[in-house]
Amino acid sequence: MNLFKRKGKENGGTLEAESLAEPMPDEEFDKELQNLMKEESGGSKKKKGRKKWSKKRKIITIGVVAFFGLFLVFQAAGGGSSAMMVTVSPLEKGNVVEELSVSGPVQGTDSVEVVSNLHAEILELPMKEGDRVEKGQVLAVLDDKDAKKELDIAQNAYDTAVSTYQDKQREAENGYSKAKQDYETAKANYNRTLTLFQAGSATQVELETASNAMEDARRQMNTYTLKDGRPVANESYALQIEKEAFEVEQKKEALANTKVTSPIAGTVVRVNCKVGRFADKTDDDKPMFIINNLDVLEMKINVSEYSIGKVAIGQPVEITADILNGEVVKGEVTSISPTGEEKGNGSTERVIPTTIRIIDQNSRLIAGITAKARIELNRAENVWVVPFSNVIQKPDGTMAIAVAEENKVKMIPVKTGVESDIETEIIPVEEGALKEGMQVINTPSDLLKDGMAVVIAPSAQ
């Protein structure tokens, strides 16, 4: 350990400092320390018992003395003016990653709730929680007696409607045929009477009677509905058939629904029903089953409106969770909602729902837990990197870093690039102004000026 000795000329007012090139022995250090302690206590020469100092305490004290001596040297070198003490770090290149940290639930990519509106008793539950099912696989079997009975009733009503329509169709065809024949007969009689009237062989009354009979026959024929020139039954009978056909389809569907099936391939994650209960009366009115596709997991997160502009589909994501025990799972942003929504809790901030697809599917992640996602927003590699605290922002908005060269401050104008939570990329305004190993002043004071003398503090070991 090197120390500085001071010798002053009381009358001359000058101070000389010389550095010892050789380390001071422990015995000499103890003696010097005792002398200092005596001077502090008013010069008393009364000896007291002293404890032997630990090596750690000696090192700390030597460091303080050396620091003070170094300060005096630079004070003397500056003609009596004080030099500011600074710490420095070597300028190096590295990588900077700008990230956004958010949290949200992990879930399957497809999730469905299976319900039943049938008031039917549950007879079987072949699937349980955790079972994998395929699309269309039976989850529950319900009592189908009522459903079959209702289908029979609906089928009978439909058959009756069809039979009625067919009867009315025959009546329409026969009635129209007769009405048309009656009209043709009345028309021929009118034409014959008109000829006799013109010849003076029929009276006016006979002609009018024939005309009225023909018009009555025409009106009767026009009471029938024609479609493509053929008579059809009244439309109400056809509508009745459609109504009853719809009822039959409904009852067939209800009968089919007595076998509750999965609409997707996935895993049964919840079963909220029991054998012997009614399908439409589940625990706390929850769905009978919840099916998730757990083959591919995803996270649903909400990104602040202030950060969403930096988020884009395809950006890489690192996912962590307590269940992973330090393992990091990779993912990527797959969708961003086109609309925002309220954050809640009285905040005026808006958030945008965003989906992250988890790429590593062979991890210990499971649906239903909360995980933390770090979205990589930007990255810069092999660039000049310094802590945020080392960048000086001037009143005019420009930025710079302060470096120590030959114990003087040199301000180097820079611009910032990609930023992480604690570091930032710096880009010199003047090309080539930054060099590897430059001594960048840490957390520079506002008092630092270009060309100011500084003392570089010894680095802590």
Side-chain angles (χ1 to χ4, degrees), residues 34-35 37-39 41-48:
Q34 277 188 331
N35 291 335
M37 292 174 66
K38 289 177 182 179
E39 290 175 2
S41 61
S44 173
K45 296 183 179 180
K46 185 178 181 180
K47 292 185 179 181
K48 297 182 180 179

Side-chain angles (χ1 to χ4, degrees), residues 37-277:
M37 292 174 66
K38 289 177 182 179
E39 290 175 2
E40 286 183 356
S41 61
S44 173
K45 296 183 179 180
K46 185 178 181 180
K47 292 185 179 181
K48 297 182 180 179
R50 62 181 178 88
K51 295 181 180 179
K52 188 174 182 181
W53 284 23
S54 68
K55 187 175 181 181
K56 181 178 179 180
R57 187 174 181 187
K58 290 179 182 179
I59 292 173
I60 294 174
T61 307
I62 290 171
V64 172
V65 174
F67 180 87
F68 181 71
L70 188 63
F71 174 76
L72 292 175
V73 170
F74 279 95
Q75 188 180 43
S81 61
S82 299
M84 184 176 293
M85 187 74 64
V86 296
T87 61
V88 296
S89 298
L91 180 62
E92 297 176 342
K93 285 190 174 184
N95 301 333
V96 187
V97 180
E98 182 181 2
E99 295 179 334
L100 173 67
S101 293
V102 288
S103 60
V106 178
Q107 60 188 44
T109 48
D110 289 323
S111 180
V112 295
E113 297 180 347
V114 182
V115 300
S116 175
N117 58 1
L118 296 180
H119 189 68
E121 182 183 353
I122 301 172
L123 301 180
E124 298 178 37
L125 288 174
M127 294 292 118
K128 62 182 183 299
E129 289 186 6
D131 286 349
R132 178 172 177 80
V133 294
E134 299 300 327
K135 182 177 180 179
Q137 189 167 345
V138 176
L139 304 173
V141 178
L142 311 182
D143 187 354
D144 62 1
K145 290 193 297 293
D146 290 342
K148 287 179 177 178
K149 185 183 297 182
E150 290 177 3
L151 176 58
D152 289 341
I153 294 172
Q155 187 65 52
N156 290 336
Y158 172 78
D159 293 340
T160 300
V162 171
S163 178
T164 301
Y165 174 81
Q166 291 172 344
D167 291 342
K168 295 299 180 181
Q169 179 64 28
R170 283 192 293 270
E171 290 179 7
E173 291 174 355
N174 294 336
Y176 179 75
S177 178
K178 182 177 182 304
K180 184 177 181 180
Q181 184 177 2
D182 290 346
Y183 171 73
E184 294 296 335
T185 301
K187 182 180 179 180
N189 183 54
Y190 170 77
N191 290 334
R192 185 173 57 256
T193 303
L194 178 60
T195 301
L196 291 174
F197 175 77
Q198 291 172 345
S201 300
T203 65
Q204 182 69 33
V205 173
E206 290 175 332
L207 180 61
E208 290 177 358
T209 300
S211 176
N212 291 337
M214 182 181 67
E215 290 303 317
D216 288 343
R218 186 199 301 275
R219 282 193 293 271
Q220 181 62 30
M221 185 178 64
N222 289 339
T223 60
Y224 293 92
T225 302
L226 300 180
K227 186 175 182 179
D228 297 330
R230 296 184 58 192
V232 294
N234 188 282
E235 186 180 5
S236 62
Y237 297 105
L239 294 176
Q240 186 65 26
I241 290 178
E242 291 182 10
K243 176 178 176 300
E244 299 302 339
F246 177 77
E247 286 295 320
V248 169
E249 291 303 315
Q250 290 288 95
K251 299 308 178 184
K252 284 182 178 179
E253 184 177 346
L255 179 59
N257 287 341
T258 57
K259 287 183 172 57
V260 181
T261 60
S262 175
I264 64 169
T267 301
V268 180
V269 297
R270 290 292 180 272
V271 178
N272 299 310
C273 54
K274 299 176 183 177
V275 172
R277 300 281 297 273

Side-chain angles (χ1 to χ4, degrees), residues 342-409:
E342 293 182 358
K343 184 177 182 179
N345 298 324
S347 173
T348 58
E349 182 182 353
R350 310 286 289 185
V351 293
I352 293 80
T354 303
T355 302
I356 296 172
R357 178 71 58 85
I358 298 170
I359 298 174
D360 297 337
Q361 294 302 319
N362 295 324
S363 69
R364 292 191 296 273
L365 278 179
I366 61 175
I369 68 168
T370 298
K372 179 179 287 187
R374 294 195 304 271
I375 304 174
E376 184 177 307
L377 303 179
N378 208 346
R379 172 183 286 269
E381 297 182 346
N382 195 31
V383 295
W384 300 115
V385 181
V386 298
F388 273 118
S389 57
N390 288 4
V391 179
I392 302 168
Q393 183 162 8
K394 299 181 179 180
D396 62 358
T398 61
M399 288 173 285
I401 61 168
V403 300
E405 288 188 354
E406 299 180 352
N407 295 315
K408 289 187 178 181
V409 175

